[in-house]
Amino acid sequence: MPTSTDTLVIGAGAAGLFAALRWAERGPVTVVEAGPDAGDPPPRWALHDYALPDAHYYRYTDDRTGKPIPQGRGLGGGSTVNSAAALRGQPWCYDGWQVPGWGWADVLTGFRGIEADQQFPGASYHGADGLIPITRLDPGPLDEAVFGWCRDAGHPAVEDHNAPGALGYGAWTTNRRDGGRWGTWAGVVPAARRAGVAIRPDTAADRLVFAGERCVGADVTGPDGPERITAGRVIVCAGAYGSPALLLRSGIGAEDALAALGAEPVSVLPGVGANLADHPWCLLDVDVTDPALIEARPVSGALLRYELPGEPGEHREAEIFPWQTRPYDLTSPPTRVSFTAALMAPRSRGRFGLGPGGPRLDVGHLTEDADAANMAEIVATTGELLEKLAADGVLTIPDDAWWRADDLVAAARAAVSSYHHHSGTCRMGDPAAGGTVVGPDLGVLGVRDLAVADSSVMPSLPRANTNLASMMIGYRSADVIR
Ligand SMILES: Cc1cc2nc3c(=O)[nH]c(=O)nc-3n(C[C@H](O)[C@H](O)[C@H](O)COP(=O)(O)OP(=O)(O)OC[C@H]3O[C@@H](n4cnc5c(N)ncnc54)[C@H](O)[C@@H]3O)c2cc1C
């Protein structure tokens, strides 16, 4: 007997658990998750560690650069392995999507619905009662030194980095409770279970099942072997790589890609896997003179955001911030600090593909010259900050610092890696436009009763880390899917 449910959600990550919770308001929901469930409530390590057991990661490699691309796996998905940096992005990020129903005024209802802001619950643009606590931690000594430089450089102070339009320096907004990362595993799983959602870990969707153009379920493989789950609707929330991979395996994608996989075409959509976007970052590693200046500081202290010159309305936003390296790399000395220089509005795009040998991906960091030039500029500014802090005796800079190179564009291109904000591979947009995979109602074009609701639908990146925006998309799936 196949399992049957009203709504089948594929992937219990940042978006998937919110989608499951909201759809449970209307009827039975089953969520399948390829990765593990290590307990409810999550064990202490799942909240406080930043190098998790290997079962909680997918390990991809960027084909072009050979650099590693980790992705979250298991309950909470990326929200379980991430740094709990919780930025929403600017109003113009969402207005710029130009998708009806997804402008700033629309997405704000989702952002307010998921959060319980700890410092500004009464602000009109914040939520007070959601499942994800948003908090700002007290700055440490290194953060204060960074703030001092920002002030002297003429940047404004920011009380709340999630206030619409905020630019300047202030404490990171983070999703933490009692110092621990509070993603969808800790925050949403208990509520979803209370609402009757059946959460099935260690169960991967192999392919979607169709009756004509209707999606009627999925073939999955779980601890007891292969099984078919039938459903009234299927919502794919398998992330920026998992979602296009599942569509391709199921016959949805570019004609040549489907042919290479031997998949019978169900809907020919060349946009599946295209439009891959990620924020590029460069890390400038230094050592503080005293570990007490930064001790136990994953991304949670000082954050500077400002705009570089660009095309009118382009808002070429940059970020600079420090974090202690050791929580992520246990072999690192306690003095080691990575200063991040990040470009938050990249023009470069990459591509995800699935060959018979497995996933192929090229994230495309800094392939556009304008991005490389901007990154060199952000690195140069970060270098100035470091020289000042070194002169003040706060830190030491290695003699062979890569960012002191004469050709900073080439040096940035060699040093660039991923800020882990992969998105865009099942692009949402105008159904009539080439490259669109899902319409404004998140429905996959050319079929019925199948939607995608996660980071993969973002037409372009918000100028922010993507966890909150992914949660918002999952949450809003219940408002927009027809
Ligand atoms: C190392 C790292 C650090 C990050 N740091 C931050 C940060 O500090 N702040 C921030 O805002 N963002 C951060 N991000 C990004 C953020 O976590 C992601 O953008 C977000 O989790 C994406 O949500 P999603 O729901 O689209 O996908 P995910 O959260 O990745 O969820 C997808 C889920 O689907 C499951 N899945 C995939 N394929 C299948 C299948 N076939 N069958 C069943 N299940 C499947 C996966 O196992 C996974 O659990 C980070 C990401 C990483 C990897």
Coordinates of all heavy atoms in Angstrom, one line a residue, residues 398-477:
P398 N 49.9 38.9 8.5 CA 51.1 38.1 8.0 C 51.9 38.9 7.0 O 51.4 39.6 6.2 CB 50.4 36.9 7.4 CG 49.0 37.2 7.2 CD 48.6 38.4 8.1
D399 N 53.2 38.6 6.9 CA 54.1 39.3 6.0 C 53.7 39.0 4.6 O 53.9 39.9 3.7 CB 55.5 38.8 6.2 CG 56.1 39.3 7.6 OD1 55.5 40.3 8.1 OD2 57.0 38.7 8.1
D400 N 53.2 37.8 4.3 CA 52.8 37.4 2.9 C 51.3 37.6 2.6 O 50.8 36.9 1.8 CB 53.2 36.0 2.6 CG 52.5 35.0 3.6 OD1 51.9 35.5 4.6 OD2 52.6 33.8 3.4
A401 N 50.7 38.6 3.3 CA 49.3 38.8 3.1 C 48.9 39.0 1.6 O 49.5 39.8 0.9 CB 48.8 40.1 3.9
W402 N 48.0 38.1 1.1 CA 47.7 38.1 -0.3 C 47.1 39.4 -0.8 O 47.2 39.8 -2.0 CB 46.8 36.9 -0.7 CG 45.4 37.0 -0.1 CD1 45.0 36.4 1.1 CD2 44.3 37.7 -0.6 NE1 43.7 36.7 1.3 CE2 43.2 37.5 0.3 CE3 44.1 38.5 -1.7 CZ2 42.0 38.1 0.1 CZ3 42.8 39.0 -1.9 CH2 41.8 38.8 -1.0
W403 N 46.5 40.1 0.1 CA 45.8 41.3 -0.3 C 46.7 42.5 -0.4 O 46.3 43.6 -0.6 CB 44.6 41.7 0.7 CG 45.0 41.8 2.2 CD1 45.4 42.9 2.8 CD2 45.1 40.7 3.1 NE1 45.6 42.6 4.1 CE2 45.5 41.3 4.3 CE3 44.9 39.3 3.1 CZ2 45.7 40.5 5.5 CZ3 45.1 38.6 4.2 CH2 45.5 39.2 5.4
R404 N 48.0 42.3 -0.2 CA 49.0 43.4 -0.4 C 49.6 43.3 -1.8 O 50.5 44.0 -2.2 CB 50.1 43.3 0.6 CG 49.7 43.9 2.0 CD 50.8 43.7 3.0 NE 50.5 44.4 4.2 CZ 51.0 44.1 5.4 NH1 51.9 43.1 5.5 NH2 50.7 44.8 6.5
A405 N 49.0 42.4 -2.7 CA 49.4 42.2 -4.1 C 49.3 43.5 -4.9 O 48.4 44.3 -4.6 CB 48.7 41.1 -4.7
D406 N 50.1 43.6 -5.9 CA 50.0 44.8 -6.8 C 48.7 44.7 -7.6 O 48.0 45.7 -7.8 CB 51.2 44.9 -7.7 CG 52.4 45.3 -7.0 OD1 52.3 45.9 -5.9 OD2 53.5 44.9 -7.4
D407 N 48.4 43.5 -8.2 CA 47.2 43.3 -9.0 C 46.1 42.7 -8.1 O 46.0 41.5 -8.0 CB 47.6 42.4 -10.2 CG 46.4 42.2 -11.1 OD1 45.3 42.7 -10.7 OD2 46.6 41.7 -12.2
L408 N 45.4 43.6 -7.5 CA 44.4 43.2 -6.5 C 43.2 42.5 -7.2 O 42.5 41.6 -6.6 CB 43.9 44.4 -5.7 CG 43.4 44.1 -4.3 CD1 44.3 43.1 -3.5 CD2 43.3 45.4 -3.5
V409 N 42.9 42.8 -8.5 CA 41.8 42.1 -9.2 C 42.2 40.7 -9.3 O 41.4 39.8 -9.0 CB 41.5 42.8 -10.5 CG1 40.6 42.0 -11.3 CG2 40.9 44.2 -10.3
A410 N 43.4 40.4 -9.8 CA 43.8 39.0 -10.0 C 43.9 38.3 -8.7 O 43.5 37.1 -8.5 CB 45.2 39.0 -10.7
A411 N 44.4 39.0 -7.6 CA 44.5 38.4 -6.3 C 43.1 38.0 -5.8 O 42.9 37.0 -5.2 CB 45.3 39.3 -5.4
A412 N 42.2 38.9 -6.0 CA 40.8 38.7 -5.5 C 40.2 37.5 -6.2 O 39.5 36.7 -5.6 CB 39.9 39.9 -5.6
R413 N 40.5 37.4 -7.5 CA 39.9 36.3 -8.3 C 40.5 35.0 -7.8 O 39.8 34.0 -7.8 CB 40.2 36.5 -9.8 CG 39.1 37.4 -10.5 CD 39.2 37.2 -12.0 NE 37.9 37.6 -12.6 CZ 37.8 38.6 -13.5 NH1 38.9 39.2 -14.0 NH2 36.6 38.9 -14.0
A414 N 41.8 35.0 -7.4 CA 42.4 33.8 -6.9 C 41.8 33.4 -5.6 O 41.7 32.2 -5.2 CB 43.9 33.9 -6.9
A415 N 41.6 34.4 -4.8 CA 41.2 34.2 -3.4 C 39.7 33.9 -3.2 O 39.3 33.4 -2.1 CB 41.6 35.4 -2.5
V416 N 38.9 34.3 -4.1 CA 37.4 34.3 -3.9 C 36.9 32.9 -3.6 O 37.4 31.9 -4.2 CB 36.7 35.0 -5.1 CG1 36.7 34.0 -6.3 CG2 35.3 35.3 -4.8
S417 N 35.9 32.9 -2.8 CA 35.2 31.6 -2.5 C 33.7 32.0 -2.1 O 33.3 33.1 -2.3 CB 35.9 30.8 -1.5 OG 36.0 31.4 -0.3
S418 N 33.0 31.0 -1.6 CA 31.6 31.1 -1.5 C 31.2 31.6 -0.1 O 31.7 31.1 0.9 CB 31.0 29.7 -1.7 OG 29.6 29.7 -1.4
Y419 N 30.2 32.5 -0.1 CA 29.6 32.9 1.1 C 28.4 32.0 1.5 O 27.7 32.2 2.4 CB 29.1 34.4 0.9 CG 28.7 35.2 2.0 CD1 28.5 36.6 1.8 CD2 28.6 34.8 3.3 CE1 28.2 37.5 2.9 CE2 28.2 35.6 4.4 CZ 28.0 36.9 4.1 OH 27.7 37.8 5.2
H420 N 28.2 30.9 0.6 CA 27.2 29.9 0.9 C 25.8 30.3 0.7 O 24.9 29.9 1.4 CB 27.4 29.3 2.3 CG 28.8 28.9 2.6 ND1 29.5 28.0 1.8 CD2 29.6 29.2 3.7 CE1 30.7 27.8 2.4 NE2 30.8 28.5 3.5
H421 N 25.6 31.2 -0.3 CA 24.2 31.7 -0.5 C 23.7 31.3 -1.9 O 23.2 32.1 -2.6 CB 24.2 33.2 -0.3 CG 24.6 33.6 1.1 ND1 25.1 34.9 1.4 CD2 24.6 32.9 2.2 CE1 25.3 34.9 2.6 NE2 25.1 33.8 3.2
H422 N 23.7 30.0 -2.2 CA 23.4 29.5 -3.5 C 21.9 29.6 -3.7 O 21.1 29.3 -2.8 CB 23.9 28.0 -3.6 CG 25.3 27.9 -3.2 ND1 26.3 28.1 -4.1 CD2 25.9 27.7 -2.0 CE1 27.5 28.0 -3.5 NE2 27.2 27.8 -2.2
S423 N 21.6 30.0 -4.9 CA 20.1 30.3 -5.2 C 19.9 30.4 -6.7 O 20.9 30.4 -7.5 CB 19.8 31.7 -4.6 OG 20.5 32.7 -5.2
G424 N 18.6 30.5 -7.1 CA 18.3 31.0 -8.4 C 18.1 29.9 -9.5 O 17.8 30.2 -10.6
T425 N 18.3 28.6 -9.1 CA 18.4 27.5 -10.1 C 17.1 27.0 -10.6 O 17.0 26.2 -11.5 CB 19.2 26.4 -9.5 OG1 18.7 26.2 -8.2 CG2 20.7 26.7 -9.4
C426 N 16.0 27.5 -10.0 CA 14.6 27.2 -10.5 C 13.9 28.6 -10.5 O 12.9 28.8 -9.7 CB 13.9 26.2 -9.6 SG 14.6 24.6 -9.4
R427 N 14.4 29.5 -11.2 CA 14.0 30.9 -11.2 C 12.5 31.1 -11.3 O 11.8 30.6 -12.1 CB 14.7 31.6 -12.3 CG 14.4 33.0 -12.4 CD 14.9 33.6 -13.7 NE 14.7 35.0 -13.7 CZ 15.6 35.9 -14.0 NH1 16.8 35.5 -14.5 NH2 15.3 37.2 -14.0
M428 N 12.0 32.0 -10.3 CA 10.6 32.4 -10.4 C 10.5 33.6 -11.3 O 11.4 34.5 -11.3 CB 10.2 32.8 -9.0 CG 8.8 33.4 -8.9 SD 8.2 33.6 -7.2 CE 9.4 34.7 -6.4
G429 N 9.4 33.8 -12.1 CA 9.3 34.9 -12.9 C 8.0 34.9 -13.8 O 7.1 34.1 -13.5
D430 N 8.1 35.7 -14.8 CA 7.0 35.8 -15.8 C 6.9 34.5 -16.5 O 7.9 34.1 -17.2 CB 7.3 37.0 -16.7 CG 6.2 37.1 -17.8 OD1 5.3 36.2 -17.9 OD2 6.3 38.1 -18.5
P431 N 5.8 33.7 -16.5 CA 5.8 32.5 -17.2 C 6.1 32.6 -18.7 O 6.6 31.6 -19.3 CB 4.3 32.0 -17.0 CG 3.9 32.7 -15.8 CD 4.6 34.0 -15.8
A432 N 5.9 33.8 -19.3 CA 6.2 33.9 -20.7 C 7.7 34.2 -21.0 O 8.1 34.1 -22.2 CB 5.3 35.1 -21.3
A433 N 8.5 34.5 -20.0 CA 9.9 34.8 -20.2 C 10.7 33.6 -20.3 O 10.5 32.6 -19.5 CB 10.3 35.8 -19.1
G434 N 11.7 33.6 -21.1 CA 12.7 32.5 -21.2 C 13.4 32.3 -19.9 O 13.7 33.3 -19.3
G435 N 13.7 31.1 -19.5 CA 14.5 30.9 -18.3 C 13.6 30.8 -17.0 O 14.1 30.4 -16.0
T436 N 12.3 31.1 -17.1 CA 11.5 31.0 -15.9 C 11.2 29.5 -15.7 O 10.9 28.7 -16.6 CB 10.2 31.7 -16.1 OG1 10.5 33.1 -16.3 CG2 9.3 31.6 -14.9
V437 N 11.2 29.1 -14.4 CA 10.9 27.7 -14.1 C 9.6 27.6 -13.3 O 8.8 26.7 -13.5 CB 12.0 27.1 -13.2 CG1 11.7 25.7 -12.8 CG2 13.3 27.0 -14.1
V438 N 9.4 28.6 -12.4 CA 8.1 28.7 -11.6 C 7.5 30.0 -11.8 O 8.2 31.0 -11.9 CB 8.3 28.3 -10.1 CG1 8.9 26.9 -9.9 CG2 9.0 29.4 -9.3
G439 N 6.2 30.1 -11.8 CA 5.5 31.4 -11.9 C 5.4 32.0 -10.5 O 5.9 31.5 -9.5
P440 N 4.7 33.2 -10.5 CA 4.6 33.9 -9.2 C 3.8 33.0 -8.1 O 4.0 33.3 -6.9 CB 3.7 35.1 -9.6 CG 4.0 35.3 -11.0 CD 4.2 34.0 -11.6
D441 N 3.1 32.0 -8.6 CA 2.4 31.1 -7.6 C 3.3 29.9 -7.2 O 2.8 29.0 -6.6 CB 1.1 30.6 -8.2 CG 1.3 29.8 -9.5 OD1 2.4 29.7 -9.9 OD2 0.3 29.3 -10.0
L442 N 4.5 30.0 -7.6 CA 5.5 28.9 -7.3 C 5.3 27.6 -8.1 O 6.0 26.6 -7.9 CB 5.6 28.6 -5.8 CG 6.1 29.8 -4.9 CD1 6.1 29.4 -3.4 CD2 7.5 30.3 -5.3
G443 N 4.2 27.6 -8.9 CA 3.9 26.4 -9.7 C 4.9 26.2 -10.8 O 5.3 27.1 -11.5
V444 N 5.4 24.9 -11.0 CA 6.3 24.6 -12.0 C 5.6 24.7 -13.4 O 4.5 24.1 -13.5 CB 6.9 23.2 -11.8 CG1 7.8 22.8 -13.0 CG2 7.7 23.1 -10.5
L445 N 6.2 25.4 -14.3 CA 5.5 25.6 -15.6 C 5.3 24.3 -16.4 O 6.2 23.4 -16.4 CB 6.3 26.6 -16.5 CG 6.5 28.0 -15.8 CD1 7.3 28.9 -16.8 CD2 5.2 28.6 -15.3
G446 N 4.2 24.1 -17.0 CA 4.0 23.0 -17.9 C 3.4 21.8 -17.2 O 3.1 20.8 -17.8
V447 N 3.3 21.8 -15.9 CA 2.7 20.7 -15.1 C 1.7 21.3 -14.1 O 1.7 22.5 -13.9 CB 3.7 19.8 -14.4 CG1 4.6 19.1 -15.4 CG2 4.6 20.7 -13.5
R448 N 1.0 20.4 -13.4 CA 0.0 20.8 -12.3 C 0.4 20.2 -11.0 O 1.0 19.1 -11.0 CB -1.4 20.5 -12.7 CG -1.9 21.4 -13.9 CD -3.4 21.3 -14.0 NE -3.8 20.1 -14.6 CZ -4.8 19.3 -14.2 NH1 -5.6 19.7 -13.3 NH2 -5.1 18.2 -14.9
D449 N 0.0 20.8 -9.9 CA 0.1 20.2 -8.6 C 1.5 20.0 -8.2 O 1.8 19.2 -7.3 CB -0.7 18.9 -8.4 CG -2.2 19.2 -8.7 OD1 -2.7 20.3 -8.4 OD2 -2.8 18.3 -9.3
L450 N 2.4 20.8 -8.8 CA 3.9 20.7 -8.4 C 4.4 22.1 -8.3 O 4.2 23.0 -9.2 CB 4.7 20.0 -9.5 CG 6.2 19.9 -9.3 CD1 6.6 19.1 -8.0 CD2 6.9 19.3 -10.5
A451 N 5.0 22.4 -7.1 CA 5.6 23.7 -6.9 C 7.0 23.6 -6.3 O 7.4 22.5 -5.8 CB 4.7 24.5 -5.8
V452 N 7.8 24.6 -6.5 CA 9.1 24.7 -5.8 C 9.0 25.9 -4.9 O 8.5 27.0 -5.3 CB 10.2 24.9 -6.8 CG1 11.6 24.9 -6.1 CG2 10.2 23.7 -7.9
A453 N 9.5 25.8 -3.7 CA 9.5 26.9 -2.7 C 10.7 26.8 -1.8 O 10.7 26.2 -0.7 CB 8.2 26.7 -1.8
D454 N 11.8 27.4 -2.3 CA 13.0 27.5 -1.5 C 14.0 28.5 -2.1 O 13.6 29.3 -3.0 CB 13.6 26.1 -1.3 CG 14.0 25.5 -2.7 OD1 14.0 26.2 -3.7 OD2 14.3 24.3 -2.8
S455 N 15.2 28.4 -1.7 CA 16.2 29.4 -2.2 C 16.4 29.3 -3.8 O 16.8 30.3 -4.4 CB 17.6 29.1 -1.6 OG 17.9 27.8 -1.7
S456 N 16.0 28.2 -4.4 CA 16.2 28.0 -5.8 C 15.3 28.9 -6.6 O 15.6 29.1 -7.8 CB 16.1 26.6 -6.2 OG 14.7 26.2 -6.1
V457 N 14.2 29.4 -6.1 CA 13.3 30.2 -6.9 C 13.7 31.7 -6.9 O 13.1 32.5 -7.7 CB 11.8 30.1 -6.4 CG1 11.4 28.6 -6.4 CG2 11.6 30.8 -5.1
M458 N 14.7 32.1 -6.1 CA 15.0 33.6 -6.1 C 15.5 34.0 -7.4 O 16.5 33.5 -7.9 CB 16.1 33.8 -5.0 CG 15.7 33.5 -3.6 SD 17.1 33.7 -2.5 CE 16.5 33.0 -1.0
P459 N 14.8 35.0 -8.0 CA 15.3 35.5 -9.3 C 16.7 36.1 -9.3 O 17.5 36.0 -10.2 CB 14.2 36.5 -9.7 CG 13.1 36.3 -8.8 CD 13.6 35.7 -7.6
S460 N 16.9 36.8 -8.1 CA 18.3 37.4 -7.9 C 18.5 37.4 -6.4 O 17.5 37.3 -5.6 CB 18.4 38.8 -8.4 OG 17.5 39.6 -7.8
L461 N 19.7 37.4 -5.9 CA 20.0 37.3 -4.5 C 19.5 38.6 -3.8 O 19.8 39.7 -4.3 CB 21.5 37.2 -4.3 CG 22.1 35.8 -4.5 CD1 23.6 35.9 -4.7 CD2 21.8 35.0 -3.3
P462 N 18.9 38.4 -2.6 CA 18.8 39.6 -1.8 C 20.2 40.0 -1.3 O 21.1 39.2 -1.3 CB 18.0 39.1 -0.6 CG 18.1 37.6 -0.6 CD 18.4 37.2 -2.0
R463 N 20.4 41.3 -0.9 CA 21.7 41.8 -0.4 C 21.8 41.3 1.0 O 21.8 42.2 1.9 CB 21.8 43.3 -0.6 CG 21.9 43.7 -2.1 CD 21.5 45.1 -2.4 NE 21.5 45.4 -3.8 CZ 20.6 45.1 -4.6 NH1 19.5 44.4 -4.3 NH2 20.7 45.4 -5.9
A464 N 21.8 40.1 1.2 CA 21.7 39.5 2.6 C 22.0 38.0 2.5 O 21.8 37.4 1.4 CB 20.3 39.7 3.2
N465 N 22.4 37.4 3.6 CA 22.5 36.0 3.8 C 21.1 35.4 3.5 O 20.1 36.1 3.7 CB 22.9 35.6 5.2 CG 24.0 36.6 5.7 OD1 23.8 37.8 5.7 ND2 25.1 36.0 6.0
T466 N 21.0 34.2 3.0 CA 19.7 33.7 2.4 C 18.8 32.9 3.3 O 17.8 32.4 2.8 CB 20.1 33.0 1.1 OG1 21.2 32.1 1.4 CG2 20.4 33.9 0.0
N467 N 19.2 32.7 4.5 CA 18.4 31.8 5.4 C 17.0 32.4 5.6 O 16.0 31.7 5.4 CB 19.2 31.6 6.7 CG 18.7 30.5 7.5 OD1 18.1 29.5 7.0 ND2 18.8 30.6 8.8
L468 N 17.0 33.6 6.1 CA 15.7 34.2 6.4 C 14.8 34.3 5.1 O 13.6 34.1 5.2 CB 15.8 35.6 7.0 CG 16.3 35.7 8.5 CD1 16.2 37.2 9.0 CD2 15.5 34.8 9.4
A469 N 15.4 34.7 4.0 CA 14.6 34.8 2.8 C 14.1 33.4 2.3 O 13.0 33.3 1.9 CB 15.5 35.4 1.7
S470 N 14.9 32.4 2.6 CA 14.4 31.0 2.2 C 13.3 30.6 3.1 O 12.3 30.0 2.7 CB 15.6 30.0 2.4 OG 16.7 30.4 1.6
M471 N 13.4 30.9 4.4 CA 12.3 30.6 5.4 C 11.0 31.4 4.9 O 9.9 30.8 5.0 CB 12.7 31.0 6.8 CG 13.8 30.2 7.4 SD 14.0 30.9 9.1 CE 15.5 30.0 9.6
M472 N 11.2 32.6 4.6 CA 10.1 33.4 4.1 C 9.4 32.8 2.9 O 8.1 32.8 2.9 CB 10.6 34.9 3.8 CG 9.6 35.9 3.3 SD 9.4 35.8 1.5 CE 10.9 36.4 0.9
I473 N 10.2 32.3 2.0 CA 9.6 31.7 0.8 C 8.8 30.5 1.2 O 7.6 30.2 0.7 CB 10.7 31.4 -0.3 CG1 11.2 32.7 -0.8 CG2 10.1 30.5 -1.4 CD1 12.5 32.6 -1.6
G474 N 9.3 29.6 2.0 CA 8.6 28.4 2.5 C 7.3 28.8 3.2 O 6.2 28.3 3.0
Y475 N 7.4 29.8 4.1 CA 6.3 30.3 4.8 C 5.2 30.8 3.9 O 4.0 30.5 4.0 CB 6.7 31.4 5.8 CG 5.7 32.0 6.7 CD1 5.6 31.6 8.0 CD2 4.9 33.1 6.2 CE1 4.6 32.2 8.8 CE2 4.0 33.6 7.1 CZ 3.8 33.2 8.4 OH 2.9 33.8 9.2
R476 N 5.6 31.6 2.9 CA 4.6 32.2 2.0 C 4.0 31.2 1.0 O 3.1 31.5 0.3 CB 5.2 33.4 1.3 CG 5.5 34.6 2.3 CD 5.7 35.9 1.5 NE 4.5 36.4 1.0 CZ 4.2 36.8 -0.2 NH1 5.2 36.6 -1.1 NH2 3.1 37.2 -0.6
S477 N 4.6 30.0 0.9 CA 4.1 29.1 -0.1 C 2.6 28.8 0.2 O 1.9 28.6 -0.8 CB 4.9 27.8 -0.1 OG 4.7 27.1 1.2

